[in-house]
Amino acid sequence: MTVKTAGEAAAQGLRKPAGASGGPLLAGIATMTGSAASSQVGAALGAHAFATLGPAGVVAVRQFVAAAVLLPTVRPNLRRFTWAQWWPILLLGLVFATMNLSLYTAIDRIGLGLAVTLEFLGPLAVALAGSRSRLDLLCAAGACVGVYVLVLPGPASDYLGVGLGLLAAACWAAYILLNRLVGTRLPGLQAPAAATLVSTLLSLPVAATLLAQGRLAGTAILYAIGAGILSSVVPYAADLVALRTVPARFFGVFMSIHPVLAALAGLILLGQHLAPHEWLGIAIVVSTNALAVQTASTGKARAAVCGWSNRRSPGLRQRHGRC
């Protein structure tokens, strides 16, 4: 994820460290592991509220939590934005809301581990699109094999759930590309903060409906708020720390741990047991992603994966692997 939050913008505005070793590197690894674990535990907590709030309700609450953290921190000057800045922000907010809603609905249908793994195909596709080398073609083929092994299509397959996971992946890819665009037009975290506001406004009808029905109360709302804190606030702070101590490319490779942690969180917190072929599929997709990020060290591929350009384009880190 997990998912797409204030933490996704945390990489914005930081300078790329020249390298890391010894204590700082170990501290960075520990911080990144904690960030990834927090993100997936938060998604699992959110799943506990699905029965009462539904995936859309959990996403709405999570958006409010993200906005409550990011907007006061960044304080974007919305009145000074031009239309050339606003239209990609509006698209970014729409993509952000669609990404989270499709992911959480997929989690509800096919489980946390499978949904997050399918979503990971988004940043992988962006990375591979920047190159035509044989190794990249091999990575693309490996990803396809991994998805087939993961899903093993058959009469009992939940094709809608799989499709929603792939929709989340497409939205994630669009999120990365739109961030590249707005990064050339707005400094710092201005664009991600404004996009968070847009996606929050899109969630207002859902929140109003739940409030009118008296469903925004009790344990469910606590689970949803917990999801917002663990999947938005904690990763936001942790990634700010981690990206000061580890190289950006290493950060991108390490984020491949997210599908594995998502599967473990689903197993421990939600009782979602995966079949051997599903674990194998996750392993193939994770390995493919790590290889793609590791080899994307120059040109467009590196910019798409790590997002460290001279203009410091926002939001291009991999969240649960996004740059």
Side-chain angles (χ1 to χ4, degrees):
M1 103 284 121
T2 285
V3 254
K4 310 27 149 249
T5 65
E8 292 161 355
Q12 174 61 25
L14 298 178
R15 296 185 182 274
K16 180 180 177 180
S21 60
L25 178 60
L26 292 177
I29 291 175
T31 302
M32 290 187 295
T33 302
S35 173
S38 176
S39 182
Q40 302 310 325
V41 170
L45 284 181
H48 282 294
F50 286 167
T52 302
L53 303 180
V58 175
V59 169
V61 174
R62 180 176 166 177
Q63 285 299 139
F64 283 112
V65 173
V69 173
L70 192 55
L71 290 175
T73 302
V74 179
R75 297 181 181 180
N77 193 344
L78 304 178
R79 294 182 179 180
R80 299 188 64 181
F81 288 3
T82 66
W83 175 244
Q85 295 168 329
W86 264 118
W87 74 259
I89 288 174
L90 294 174
L91 287 179
L92 191 62
L94 177 61
V95 166
F96 189 69
T98 304
M99 177 173 61
N100 280 325
L101 179 58
S102 57
L103 174 64
Y104 271 60
T105 307
I107 291 173
D108 190 33
R109 298 184 66 93
I110 62 176
L112 182 58
L114 272 66
V116 170
T117 303
L118 291 173
E119 187 201 26
F120 233 68
L121 296 175
L124 175 60
V126 174
L128 296 179
S131 176
R132 296 294 184 271
S133 70
R134 292 183 179 179
L135 181 57
D136 289 327
L137 293 176
L138 181 61
C139 286
C144 293
V145 171
V147 171
Y148 180 83
V149 172
L150 178 68
V151 177
L152 281 186
S157 298
D158 188 335
Y159 291 106
L160 178 57
V162 172
L164 288 168
L166 294 175
L167 175 59
C171 288
W172 193 348
Y175 181 86
I176 293 172
L177 298 176
L178 283 170
N179 263 307
R180 289 185 64 190
L181 176 61
V182 297
T184 65
R185 302 182 182 186
L186 284 169
L189 293 167
Q190 298 286 309
T196 299
L197 175 61
V198 172
S199 58
T200 301
L201 293 176
L202 292 174
S203 300
L204 283 177
V206 175
T209 301
L210 292 174
L211 184 62
Q213 296 174 346
R215 293 161 62 186
L216 283 180
T219 305
I221 189 65
L222 295 179
Y223 277 131
I225 292 174
I229 294 173
L230 292 178
S231 295
S232 299
V233 180
V234 173
Y236 175 84
D239 292 342
L240 281 173
V241 174
L243 282 163
R244 295 185 187 278
T245 59
V246 300
R249 187 174 66 174
F250 179 77
F251 182 92
V253 173
F254 193 87
M255 287 298 97
S256 298
I257 196 176
H258 274 275
V260 176
L261 293 180
L264 292 175
L267 174 65
I268 297 172
L269 300 178
L270 301 175
Q272 297 173 347
H273 296 270
L274 299 181
H277 73 87
E278 292 172 327
W279 282 108
L280 178 59
I282 290 174
I284 294 174
V285 172
V286 167
S287 300
T288 300
N289 184 80
L291 180 61
V293 174
Q294 179 65 28
T295 57
S297 58
T298 59
K300 180 180 176 181
R302 183 175 183 176
V305 177
C306 297
W308 292 105
S309 66
N310 291 333
R311 293 167 177 169
R312 303 178 193 174
S313 302
L316 297 184
R317 81 163 175 90
Q318 290 188 333
R319 152 202 155 297
H320 325 246
R322 123 189 19 167
C323 291

